[in-house]
Amino acid sequence: MAVESEYTIDELARAADTTVRSVRVYHERGLLPSPDVRGRIGYYGSDHLNRLQTISRLLSRGMKLNGIRELLEAWDRGDGLAEVLGVNDQAVSEPTTVAAPGSPRPQRKPPPELPEYVQQALADSGDPHEAYRVANPRCADLTTRLADAGIPARDAFQLIERLRADCNQIADQYATQLFYFLAGQVYEQSGRTPKDRAKLESDLAIARLIATRATSELIDQAFARHSELPPS
């Protein structure tokens, strides 16, 4: 039976190629579990080392400590980061489904009907824009601005739902390829050990961050082209 590795804080910092101060900061910020204290000495295990290595990977690719803490808390709850991030398991478990360049694009689906909770909000006497407030606060801001511009609430909601459908279509078309190339491909070629699984989940977090930033930039550029003033 393998013996569980134990580290003092100095040994843990050296093994993770970080500093004692960083280990303490991660513990204070809730990213690293407490050590097993015996006497006056705290002892860390291999789980602490794996956690530190995951934190280092995420930091090196631009994630902030608060975001990392949220992801790790979800992981500790057993949610699975792929689920929390909205990543379909197909992105890594079925890489053969990656579409080849030049494949026909999926047919555009008709806009969906308004969700039940939106229809209920429209039927109530209160502010219907609260329907988006919790789950989609920026969508709520947009529908409110549309209402201020004189657009009926139902028309504003239908516009947002068409936008949602198009965003879903973009994700459906590109997510599998992007997440496979950025995360699943390496995992597929690994030994699929618990350590490899931990790396996959952090790589998926990074892949979503990068893809979201790139897509937001492209959408911003596309909207900018339509917001240019006509020649005077």
Side-chain angles (χ1 to χ4, degrees), residues 80-107:
L81 293 189
E83 178 182 353
V84 172
L85 295 169
V87 178
N88 192 303
D89 289 339
Q90 180 180 1
V92 294
S93 62
E94 299 180 17
T96 55
T97 62
V98 174
S103 298
R105 295 184 177 183
Q107 294 295 317

Side-chain angles (χ1 to χ4, degrees), residues 3 7 12 15 24 30 60 62 65 71 75 97 129 143 176 182 210 222 225 232:
V3 178
Y7 308 90
L12 179 69
R24 288 177 174 149
S60 69
L65 287 181
L71 292 174
W75 192 353
T97 62
H129 303 284
T143 59
T176 297
L182 295 174
I210 294 172
R225 291 195 297 272
S232 56

Side-chain angles (χ1 to χ4, degrees), residues 175-191:
T176 297
Q177 286 180 298
L178 290 173
F179 291 151
Y180 175 65
F181 293 145
L182 295 174
Q185 186 170 231
V186 172
Y187 179 72
E188 183 183 46
Q189 298 168 357
S190 71

Side-chain angles (χ1 to χ4, degrees), residues 16 23 30 34 44 58 69 111-112 126 129 138 141 153 185 191 193 214 226:
V23 174
S34 299
Y44 299 82
L58 294 172
R69 186 183 67 247
H129 303 284
R138 290 186 176 87
D141 292 341
Q185 186 170 231
T193 64
H226 292 274

Side-chain angles (χ1 to χ4, degrees), residues 2 24 29 62 66 108 113 118 122 147 178 180 203 214 219 230-231:
R24 288 177 174 149
R29 298 287 293 273
N66 287 341
R108 178 179 292 273
E113 294 184 2
V118 174
L122 286 167
L178 290 173
Y180 175 65
D203 284 348
I219 291 176

Side-chain angles (χ1 to χ4, degrees), residues 13 18-28 32 52 59:
T18 187
T19 64
V20 169
R21 182 177 181 278
S22 293
V23 174
R24 288 177 174 149
V25 168
Y26 300 154
H27 178 250
E28 292 169 359
L32 195 66
L52 275 178
L59 285 172

